[in-house]
Amino acid sequence: MPDVQTTSSALSAAMTFKVQRGVLKNLRASLVFADDAFAEQGEFDAGRDTLMFVAVPDLPINVTPLTEGTRPNKRALAITTVTVSADQYGDLVSITDIAKVKSPIEIVPIGIERLSRQAKESLDQISRDVIALGGTTFFAGVGNPANRAAIAATDLTRAADLRKLKTKMRKGKLDPADDGFYRLWVHPNVAYDLKNEGSGTAVQGSFNDVNKYTGNTPLIRGEIGSLEGFRIMEVINAPTFASTVTVYRSIALGREKGWGTGDLQTLQTFHVLPGGDHADPMAQEELMAWKVAFGVAVLSNSYYWGMETAATNV
């Protein structure tokens, strides 16, 4: 029987699986703006790098009586489209053979974790930047600012602002989620201000901490409490804008999905062991990488709101 060796190439598939599993696990654990649950999902056709979402708005209410024997005027359906283009994103980590030998830590697992975190935060921020520029804007605060530049440091988010926002969303025919609540994504500084509303007293306009919930309603990831018909989720990556003060844009949404996404190329991960190609004939370099091609676009500004206020800088 001839000699048989177990070589590093036998580990390549297992290591690729390990890298991919690590990346996907972290992605699924922490996505907010790029969470599929809040977006309409589209599919790219073969050979094309754009996809199209089509919407047919409701017909206007008609309360005019018909004239006997006379048909009404013909009406056309309105059709709107939104096109989503895909861009490719990714990154590459290199570890030398000497670095692995001299490292006092397990450098490869750490590289996998750092790649996972980078992919997660990159996709989330790309989606956030698109979402933050859309929606219907509500400038809030005690001074009733008329625009972003008019927001002062004292225009903190209050229960009264959420009460107004909820009314505006209902008037805009936006339905709450199945549990009867809207969702509100806020920056930690905005969350701090909301937690101070009502000082924890059980009256209208007081913040209801998640630890005081009763019943068996499942908690939403990142949920910190509820107030004025909103279940509030603290989002570290919440959008801010530079103005006369730092302006915080809190995203409010209900059942409707205000943005759409699609993957032209699903997330892929790569792990090339030392000596894995002709560019590394002396097995001096180990490579780990990820890449994905996807797109995100706002489908309708009327489907979600962006409330802009100042906040206490904790």
Side-chain angles (χ1 to χ4, degrees):
M1 181 176 177
D3 293 336
V4 178
Q5 292 179 312
T6 299
T7 65
S8 60
S9 61
L11 301 175
S12 180
M15 288 301 298
T16 299
F17 173 76
K18 182 178 179 181
V19 174
Q20 183 165 344
R21 183 178 63 181
V23 172
L24 292 178
K25 180 179 178 181
N26 280 277
L27 282 172
R28 290 168 180 163
S30 303
L31 289 180
V32 180
F33 292 98
D35 192 329
D36 291 347
F38 301 105
E40 289 287 353
Q41 299 300 305
E43 294 185 2
F44 287 89
D45 293 330
R48 296 179 61 87
D49 63 354
T50 60
L51 65 86
M52 181 177 292
F53 290 95
V54 179
V56 182
D58 292 337
L59 292 170
I61 295 173
N62 182 10
V63 296
T64 303
L66 293 175
T67 301
E68 183 178 354
T70 304
R71 66 166 177 80
N73 293 331
K74 298 175 183 177
R75 187 188 298 276
L77 292 174
I79 299 176
T80 61
T81 60
V82 175
T83 300
V84 179
S85 299
D87 291 303
Q88 190 177 57
Y89 306 91
D91 214 340
L92 175 69
V93 169
S94 171
I95 300 173
T96 68
D97 57 339
I98 298 299
K100 287 185 65 176
V101 171
K102 291 186 175 182
S103 175
I105 57 177
E106 293 291 336
I107 193 68
V108 172
I110 290 176
I112 293 171
E113 191 280 331
R114 294 298 187 267
L115 271 175
S116 302
R117 184 178 181 87
Q118 182 201 43
K120 172 195 70 179
E121 295 188 351
S122 298
L123 297 178
D124 205 48
Q125 184 166 314
I126 291 165
S127 300
R128 179 207 65 183
D129 291 346
V130 172
I131 294 166
L133 294 178
T136 303
T137 302
F138 169 45
F139 302 106
V142 65
N144 295 314
N147 50 54
R148 183 179 296 169
I151 296 175
T154 53
D155 288 318
L156 308 180
T157 309
R158 307 162 300 161
D161 298 316
L162 268 60
R163 201 174 306 137
K164 288 182 180 178
L165 177 59
K166 179 182 176 182
T167 302
K168 290 176 179 290
M169 293 176 72
R170 291 298 292 167
K171 289 170 63 177
K173 300 182 180 180
L174 293 180
D175 294 323
D178 292 340
D179 58 9
F181 285 81
Y182 292 103
R183 307 293 187 250
L184 186 67
W185 298 345
V186 303
H187 189 278
N189 287 346
V190 175
Y192 174 84
D193 293 328
L194 290 175
K195 289 178 181 179
N196 289 330
E197 285 293 281
S199 300
T201 56
V203 296
Q204 183 183 22
S206 64
F207 180 82
N208 183 22
D209 191 275
V210 69
N211 294 320
K212 298 179 180 179
Y213 282 6
T214 59
N216 297 318
T217 302
L219 297 181
I220 305 169
R221 184 173 64 246
E223 185 175 4
I224 59 171
S226 61
L227 181 62
E228 294 294 345
F230 289 91
R231 294 179 70 176
I232 300 165
M233 289 168 280
E234 190 175 64
V235 180
I236 295 176
N237 197 32
T240 62
F241 296 98
S243 185
T244 51
V245 297
T246 299
V247 173
Y248 297 80
R249 188 172 178 90
S250 301
I251 305 298
L253 59 156
R255 186 176 301 170
E256 292 80 3
K257 296 181 177 180
W259 52 89
T261 63
D263 293 336
L264 177 63
Q265 177 189 62
T266 57
L267 178 69
Q268 299 177 63
T269 57
F270 306 89
H271 186 231
V272 180
L273 295 175
D277 59 44
H278 292 291
D280 187 26
M282 297 176 64
Q284 294 173 298
E285 185 178 41
E286 189 165 345
L287 301 173
M288 295 171 286
W290 66 271
K291 70 177 180 179
V292 65
F294 85 112
V296 56
V298 173
L299 301 181
S300 175
N301 290 324
S302 63
Y303 283 3
Y304 68 100
W305 284 66
M307 180 175 63
E308 298 199 0
T309 63
T312 301
N313 187 14
V314 180

